[in-house]
Amino acid sequence: MSAGECAGERAGERAGERASPRWASVVLDVDNTLAGVEGIDWLAARRGGAVASRVRDMTARAMRGEIPLDAVYGERLAIIRPGVDDIAALAVAYEEHVARGAPEAIAALRAAGVRLALVSGGVRQAILPMARALGFADGDLHAVELRFDAGGAYAGFDTASPLATQEGKPAVVRSIAPALPRPVLAVGDGSTDAAVRPVVEAFAAYTGFTRREAVVRAADLVIESFLQLREVVLQ
């Protein structure tokens, strides 16, 4: 083989290396990561006044890691009591507030062979339309189901879902691990997302909508946009 052919082969190998994603799988949070909505707070805002303020404070404390999510998940929903119409409105809000550049980044990651999953403590019925619009299969969305009575009124939530607890996301990621090629990058904005770090190769704090210093300190890297996420994964 000539020197030129050897050089060409090495260049081709380097090009192939560049084309191979740094992360084989990406696990994405939804609220304040994939979309600029904190779903349960958004539902509380529809109730106005004291309800909105009380729920917002509980959510903020849980996401900063000051109190466990378990302590407030059911209480927030019991205060709000969201009905079917509320969830339909929230679904529209998710679709209207998808993070800038997210559809393009998700498409590019898929095209490069990256496996994607959504793991959220949000309401599954509200997130599902946005997830489908972004090309996610229903089985790739892991979130909390609500229950409604025959008239569409709130009747509770899936109390067996680990995603209603502080350590639920690591449990879910472990359960879907066989479907996630390694290495895995988890991305999110809250303490429940940072809790995934022991079961993945790296955790990225997403600060495109909100920045929580405790979450940033727990992260391996900080990502401010989906354009940056695309660059980090595909570099």
Side-chain angles (χ1 to χ4, degrees):
M1 183 181 293
S2 70
E5 289 171 332
C6 287
E9 183 175 341
R10 288 193 296 271
E13 289 173 353
R14 288 194 297 272
E17 290 169 359
R18 286 195 298 270
S20 178
R22 179 181 179 187
W23 307 101
S25 299
V26 176
V27 175
L28 288 168
D29 176 42
V30 175
D31 290 22
N32 279 329
T33 298
L34 183 57
V37 174
E38 188 67 54
I40 294 180
D41 286 3
W42 190 95
L43 292 168
R46 286 169 67 87
R47 301 293 184 260
V51 168
S53 177
R54 182 180 176 190
V55 170
R56 187 169 56 247
D57 178 66
M58 286 190 286
T59 300
R61 292 180 66 199
M63 290 301 99
R64 290 194 300 264
E66 296 173 4
I67 55 175
L69 183 64
D70 321 37
V72 299
Y73 198 94
E75 183 179 358
R76 292 180 304 168
L77 288 170
I79 293 168
I80 302 165
R81 302 193 64 79
V84 168
D85 290 345
D86 295 309
I87 299 306
L90 175 56
V92 173
Y94 274 120
E95 293 195 85
E96 290 178 345
H97 293 86
V98 172
R100 180 178 299 178
E104 296 81 3
I106 288 169
L109 297 185
R110 283 205 186 97
V114 177
R115 182 80 167 83
L116 298 166
L118 302 178
V119 178
S120 171
V123 178
R124 179 177 172 83
Q125 293 99 319
I127 296 169
L128 193 55
M130 175 187 65
R132 288 171 173 169
L134 291 171
F136 287 91
D138 290 5
D140 290 331
L141 168 62
H142 307 270
V144 182
E145 290 267 3
L146 298 193
R147 297 192 301 273
F148 306 96
D149 65 19
Y154 176 70
F157 68 99
D158 178 11
T159 56
S161 173
L163 291 169
T165 70
Q166 185 68 26
E167 296 299 323
K169 288 188 177 184
V172 169
V173 174
R174 285 191 195 96
S175 73
I176 64 174
L180 297 175
R182 314 299 287 207
V184 179
L185 173 67
V187 183
D189 70 291
S191 65
T192 55
D193 303 302
V196 174
R197 179 62 185 88
V199 299
V200 297
E201 279 68 36
F203 166 66
Y206 185 81
T207 61
F209 293 112
T210 185
R211 181 184 177 97
R212 297 183 173 95
E213 293 304 326
V215 177
V216 169
R217 288 194 298 271
D220 299 287
L221 62 156
V222 176
I223 291 177
E224 299 178 353
S225 69
F226 271 78
L227 174 61
Q228 185 182 1
L229 175 63
R230 174 178 177 173
E231 293 172 346
V232 165
V233 174
L234 298 183
Q235 68 180 17

